[in-house]
Amino acid sequence: MSFRIKVSGAAEAAVEKHVPQLVSDMVASSITAQDPALWGAAAEAESAIRLGWTESVAISRPLVAEIEALRDELREKGVNHIVLGGMGGSSLAPEVITATMQAELTVLDSTEPGQIQAAITDRLETTAVVISSKSGGTVETDSQKRIYEAAFAAVGIDPLERIIVVTDPGSPLDKSAREAGYRVFNADPNVGGRFSALTAFGLVPSGLAGVDITELLNEAEAISIDLAVDQPENPGLILGAAIAGTSPLKNKLALVTDGTHLVGFPDWAEQLIAESTGKEGTGILPVVLDVVSPELSAGYEDVQVLRLVDDAHEFHLLKHDRHEGEILVSGTLGAMFLVFEYATAVAGRLLAINPFDQPDVESAKVAARALLDNRPAPTAPLFTDKGIEVRAHGDLGDAHTVREAITAVLKQLPSDGYVAIQAYIDRVNFPEVHGVRDLVAARAGRPVTFGWGPRFLHSTGQFHKGGPAVGVFIQILQKPAGDVVIPERPFTFGELIAAQAAGDAAVLAEHGRPVLTLTLTNPATELEHLFAAFN
């Protein structure tokens, strides 16, 4: 079987309680039939235009030959390096696909000037760029397109020969790209971004990078019948009930990679689940962990562990290796994409929310745009400790060091809360920043998420504002060593990422959540002090 699942403990009890009713209500077949009434009258209009993912395999098949032909055409011209400019669902699925299938893809889902500069100076002569945006109006993606157009033109390369656009038919980007003469792939407009792994958004960059996308679609097709049938063995029903049907609800979902061949899958699942369920004061918060993360031995009552393994049905003689109380899953990548999409739709029904909208994502975008338009004077730091500037929304008491500020904000963490680390940092040059996550988890005694900014704004950002108001937020920013101008825009990449961070912090503060902002003025020399302060 292309997908396997094993549940025990509270997850098993949830499956036993909810799956019979889900089968009786014909939920699986109704999802497959794209019935928009499954999530209530208020969600019906949105759901009616967001269920196309159930037939993505069939709709995407005709794209394969066109993608492979373009790949061959590019390679004949010596173009063998693919860059993807996209955010959220447009970038996370291709990142997982190419990493798992061992194909090189440079994913540019940032506005950090250093990361932008590194990308546009990397093998430009042999590079093609995929610009992916469902709406066609995403500011990050528009900015990435502009900078690559200028970079190609500067070295005498026609951008029309090197930039490929993926967007919805009729979007502003679709119209402008076709008018300019760019190669355009249209995705199914009835699929939301986070459900788009098996559409043009996932397939075009992955296929151009060298992935066998036919195999990926075959993997998904192999599980599709099992997902469509109303039966107790349906893996989508089982997984959906296990993650959203526990009583009391375990609303933090620890995603652990432990022996699976899939690379980075939890990052994609995090976006899918958090953005789909985190609204109306409820939701499931995915927490991406590794096998030694502190949360796994803490015994938190509100945390359900989901472990990605090599074979979920493998027999283990030793009790410790059975991972009792957890959800174990295994399978091919294509199958995993489709099962998790079904399960998320099922979870939305169990939580009584619309899994296909994202009502709170726009607020951070609006706040960032206002800062770019109005250009208020920069907020002075409360204090500076060894080069690290400290700002906050919320009370830091008499803190005068970074460590004291961290202590002060963690004291505001409720017993059922979580900490979100948001790193608006050049993740190519400073990937070690992710290491603060485990330090904070050990110190806070609660689950801790980590997101690279601004990409998390298109995933967990919805949960932060729309989910349970129990989060404490720590932003890590850097002052860029140099800035990068965005052609024909009145702001730079440095100004854009600063506005995105400040805008999100302001919106979180409006929701009554404490936000601590730590700005590194020289990351290369200050990271050691930052780690010491978190420890």
Side-chain angles (χ1 to χ4, degrees):
M1 190 175 183
S2 58
F3 180 87
R4 287 180 168 179
I5 182 169
K6 183 178 181 181
V7 294
S8 57
E12 183 178 20
V15 169
E16 292 174 349
K17 176 182 178 182
H18 292 289
V19 168
Q21 188 63 54
L22 293 168
V23 171
S24 177
D25 292 343
M26 302 177 66
V27 169
S29 60
S30 296
I31 292 174
T32 307
Q34 302 184 26
D35 180 358
L38 284 169
W39 299 274
E44 194 161 343
E46 181 76 18
S47 301
I49 56 171
R50 288 292 176 261
L51 285 162
W53 53 269
T54 60
E55 54 183 356
S56 286
V57 172
I59 289 178
S60 296
R61 290 281 187 193
L63 288 175
V64 173
E66 187 178 355
I67 294 168
E68 291 178 344
L70 178 57
R71 179 182 66 202
D72 294 341
E73 177 186 325
L74 290 170
R75 287 181 176 178
E76 287 176 4
K77 296 178 180 178
V79 178
N80 55 16
H81 174 225
I82 304 300
V83 174
L84 171 61
M87 302 298 296
S90 297
S91 63
L92 287 165
E95 186 172 63
V96 175
I97 295 167
T98 52
T100 297
M101 305 296 189
Q102 299 181 337
E104 183 188 12
L105 177 69
T106 297
V107 177
L108 186 59
D109 54 0
S110 178
T111 51
E112 201 288 315
Q115 204 166 326
I116 296 291
Q117 186 64 34
I120 62 174
T121 55
D122 178 23
R123 295 169 284 175
L124 194 62
E125 296 284 348
T126 59
T127 292
V129 181
V130 179
I131 295 295
S132 289
S133 173
K134 179 176 174 62
S135 68
T138 308
V139 64
E140 298 96 335
T141 311
D142 175 74
S143 300
Q144 292 156 359
K145 178 174 176 286
R146 290 172 181 274
I147 197 69
Y148 265 105
E149 286 174 332
F152 283 131
V155 296
I157 296 173
D158 185 353
L160 296 178
E161 296 181 357
R162 296 295 186 88
I163 294 178
I164 301 101
V165 171
V166 183
T167 189
D168 277 4
S171 74
L173 179 58
D174 184 44
K175 295 175 182 177
S176 64
R178 290 185 185 279
E179 289 172 0
Y182 284 107
R183 181 71 171 266
V184 178
F185 288 85
N186 284 141
D188 184 349
N190 293 317
V191 180
R194 56 186 176 273
F195 286 82
S196 67
L198 298 171
T199 73
F201 287 109
L203 300 182
V204 172
S206 301
L208 295 181
V211 169
D212 184 347
I213 52 179
T214 294
E215 179 185 356
L216 184 71
L217 294 175
N218 289 344
E219 291 172 353
E221 187 174 43
I223 197 68
S224 59
I225 296 299
D226 294 324
L227 290 167
V229 177
D230 298 302
Q231 59 182 0
E233 298 80 18
N234 184 312
L237 299 182
I238 293 171
L239 181 58
I243 65 177
T246 50
S247 183
L249 179 64
K250 292 178 178 287
N251 65 357
K252 284 86 176 175
L253 182 68
L255 300 173
V256 185
T257 298
D258 187 4
T260 179
H261 70 288
L262 306 179
V263 180
F265 186 84
D267 291 329
W268 175 83
E270 175 187 45
Q271 177 233 201
L272 174 70
I273 297 168
E275 195 170 48
S276 296
T277 69
K279 58 200 70 169
E280 299 181 31
T282 189
I284 305 296
L285 177 68
V287 184
V288 178
L289 305 177
D290 60 39
V291 293
V292 296
S293 293
E295 289 93 333
L296 293 179
S297 58
Y300 300 132
E301 290 295 323
D302 56 347
V303 174
Q304 174 64 59
V305 177
L306 188 156
R307 194 177 296 261
L308 288 84
V309 297
D310 180 57
D311 183 356
H313 289 179
E314 182 179 359
F315 174 75
H316 293 283
L317 182 62
L318 299 179
K319 183 178 180 180
H320 171 77
D321 293 331
R322 297 174 194 163
H323 303 297
E324 293 183 359
E326 299 183 0
I327 305 167
L328 305 182
V329 298
S330 61
T332 63
L333 181 56
M336 292 281 279
F337 280 142
L338 201 53
V339 172
F340 270 73
E341 288 171 354
Y342 266 86
T344 301
V346 171
R349 180 176 170 89
L350 293 176
L351 294 170
I353 52 90
N354 176 3
F356 304 114
D357 67 352
Q358 48 283 330
D360 300 292
V361 168
E362 190 64 25
S363 58
K365 296 180 183 179
V366 171
R369 171 58 67 181
L371 291 170
L372 289 171
D373 289 344
N374 300 324
R375 305 294 178 91
T379 302
L382 298 174
F383 60 88
T384 301
D385 177 16
K386 296 184 179 179
I388 302 177
E389 298 176 351
V390 178
R391 297 172 177 82
H393 292 275
D395 183 21
L396 295 184
D398 58 356
H400 291 92
T401 67
V402 173
R403 182 171 181 81
E404 290 171 351
I406 294 168
T407 297
V409 77
L410 291 181
K411 284 182 179 178
Q412 302 173 59
L413 183 63
S415 60
D416 61 344
Y418 65 94
V419 182
I421 307 292
Q422 304 172 339
Y424 293 83
I425 295 285
D426 180 348
R427 69 180 176 120
V428 173
N429 286 314
F430 302 107
E432 64 269 30
V433 172
H434 183 272
V436 304
R437 198 219 71 85
D438 277 1
L439 297 179
V440 177
R443 185 167 164 186
R446 289 297 299 157
V448 177
T449 66
F450 181 95
W452 295 105
R455 84 174 194 170
F456 77 85
L457 294 173
H458 298 260
S459 58
T460 53
Q462 167 61 41
F463 188 99
H464 296 160
K465 272 86 75 175
V470 293
V472 166
F473 301 87
I474 301 177
Q475 295 184 324
I476 306 174
L477 281 58
Q478 71 175 97
K479 287 193 174 179
D483 210 342
V484 178
V485 172
I486 303 172
E488 300 181 18
R489 281 288 178 259
F491 49 84
T492 65
F493 277 103
E495 291 166 340
L496 174 56
I497 195 170
Q500 290 175 308
D504 192 50
V507 173
L508 289 168
E510 290 172 3
H511 283 72
R513 304 317 309 149
V515 183
L516 173 65
T517 301
L518 307 174
T519 303
L520 307 177
T521 55
N522 187 344
T525 62
E526 293 157 7
L527 278 178
E528 183 176 353
H529 180 52
L530 180 73
F531 272 76
F534 275 116
N535 198 0

